[in-house]
Amino acid sequence: MALNIRFHNTLTNQTDTFTPNDAPLVRMYSCGPTVYDYAHIGNFRTFIFADVLRRFLELVGYDVKHVMNITDVGHMTEDDLADGGGEDKMELAARRIKEDKKSGRVPEGVVQNPDDPYQIANYYTQAFLADAKTLGMKVAFEYPQSMPHATNCIDIMQDMITRLLENGHAYQTDDGVVYFSVESFPDYGKLSGNTLDKLRGGAGGRIDEQTMAGKRHPGDFLLWKPDEKHIMKWDSPWGRGYPGWHIECSCMAQSLLGSDVIDIHTGGEDLTFPHHECEIAQSRGASGKDSFAKFWMHARFLLVDGQKMSKSKGSFYTARDVFDGKVTGRSVHPAVLRFELMRSHYRSNLNFTASSLSDAGSAVKRFTDFALKAKSECNDQPAEIDLNHTMLAAFTQALADDLNISGALGELFAWINDGKDDAPIAWAACLQVDRVLGLLDLEDQSTSEVDIDALCKALDDARATKDYASADELRKQMVDAGYDVLTTKEGTKAVKKLA
Ligand code: AMP
Ligand code: ZN
């Protein structure tokens, strides 16, 4: 099947044909979480978009090397300004946790010592990995190889800063702060449209005396700041201090993916400027190449009930809030949240509502019921099929069209309704589709807490010996673990409930 893959590229502002530099290898980098709090469902919208993109490329035969960083230093609260400002988000977290502990809002164990930023970072990294695995994000299963911590990469950041100073893209002010000189890089502004002229006028930068101190252009951004008072600091040729936020992604992308030029870079729409604009300037400034990432793909924001998530309105939800039933009043299966976060096009806002979550639950149930029925009917003996299968061909064609997920799902559900394939083919096709959707995987993971096959067998044995008390107890155990217990000709079968 000839597949012409086309993705919207923020850099060219058009839909371009995707051809990786070193096919079948695809080098893909995604900006990851800042580990100062639990990740929210908006963060996961962007992360799951990247996961679906990667899984689609794998389905059609690419070998994807995917790196996602963990930001544990240097991400400032005023990150919408080119030169950052405010305080480090880890500092904010330390204060918040101390206050929450004092007022009893968090249990003592959450972060033992909030004065230790590594403990904060470690706590929220582990929480992120747990949530990301629960939601089936492949990159989280490859931690730590695929998910570097910024604080472990300070030396490569210092190397890049040294190179930028040597080749005239960076300078040091009288106060010792190292800045990237945006005027040294004529392509600055190509990604976001924030050209040097616009920035000089103050857009996205600052021009007041205090923050301009020593800078040559308002758009110049921080590479290294000597600062003895910063929450995390390292020795450097420019004094003891901390790196700017943007440099970490430039370094980790190039060094972990093993190339100055990568194929795809993803993130949420807010990262286009300044973060990604600055990444391009640094990476190309250091490598001297005319490209850093060939494709820049940005996910639009998730909204809750049509509005930005807001703490004060109580509409700011973490993934765990959703799983635990804090949002809808009943617990939500991870497969349902994953499906809800992936099912609308990544370049349109996703409007998260309780009713759309409930629709997602019905869709997931339709798919998994169909798939598991086919699996059981063919005794888990899938036929050998390839992507030329009619539904799979239409499913991949839709995804090849800038990840048209609703088109792809439309093909899937029309085929399910049709129900014409026999069980071995149907099960094989579901397995292929699920390499992208990742829903059946979550089923398998969530069944690992109880040995469900052993319980089914024990229930059959109890019935055979007329031990109805034990049989009732075993059935209850399975229902409590979230299963529908079915009595079939072959004996007891348990199917995980989804919503
Ligand atoms: P952060 O942990 O703040 O560094 O953000 C991690 C990722 O989540 C980035 O790619 C952001 O662009 C993205 N992001 C933040 N808020 C939202 C939202 N409401 N919807 C979608 N993506 C978001
Ligand atoms: Zn980044």
Side-chain angles (χ1 to χ4, degrees), residues 29 31-32 69 245 249 265 271 275-276 279:
Y29 184 86
C31 288
N69 67 309
W245 171 39
C249 288
H265 196 309
L271 298 189
H275 189 51
H276 292 162
E279 270 189 58

Side-chain angles (χ1 to χ4, degrees), residues 31-34 40 42-43 45-47 75 89 267-271 300-302 309:
C31 288
T34 306
H40 57 63
N43 301 138
R45 195 263 157 133
T46 294
F47 298 142
H75 191 168
K89 292 194 178 193
E269 58 177 328
D270 59 323
L271 298 189
R300 295 287 292 274
F301 264 23
L302 171 144
M309 268 192 284

Side-chain angles (χ1 to χ4, degrees), residues 163 167 169 254 260 281-291:
R163 248 181 298 152
N167 61 18
H169 285 295
Q254 287 180 326
D260 289 339
Q282 296 164 150
S283 301
R284 286 185 46 199
S287 72
K289 305 255 166 73
D290 63 3
S291 172

Side-chain angles (χ1 to χ4, degrees), residues 78 81 83-86 171 173 175 177 179 205-222 225:
E78 293 176 22
L81 300 171
D83 58 352
Y171 62 94
T173 64
D175 299 336
V177 184
Y179 285 108
R206 324 155 193 246
I207 43 178
D208 59 282
E209 279 295 304
Q210 193 197 343
T211 47
M212 267 306 281
K215 283 208 308 188
R216 296 178 186 166
H217 186 284
D220 289 353
F221 57 89
L222 185 83
K225 184 165 186 177

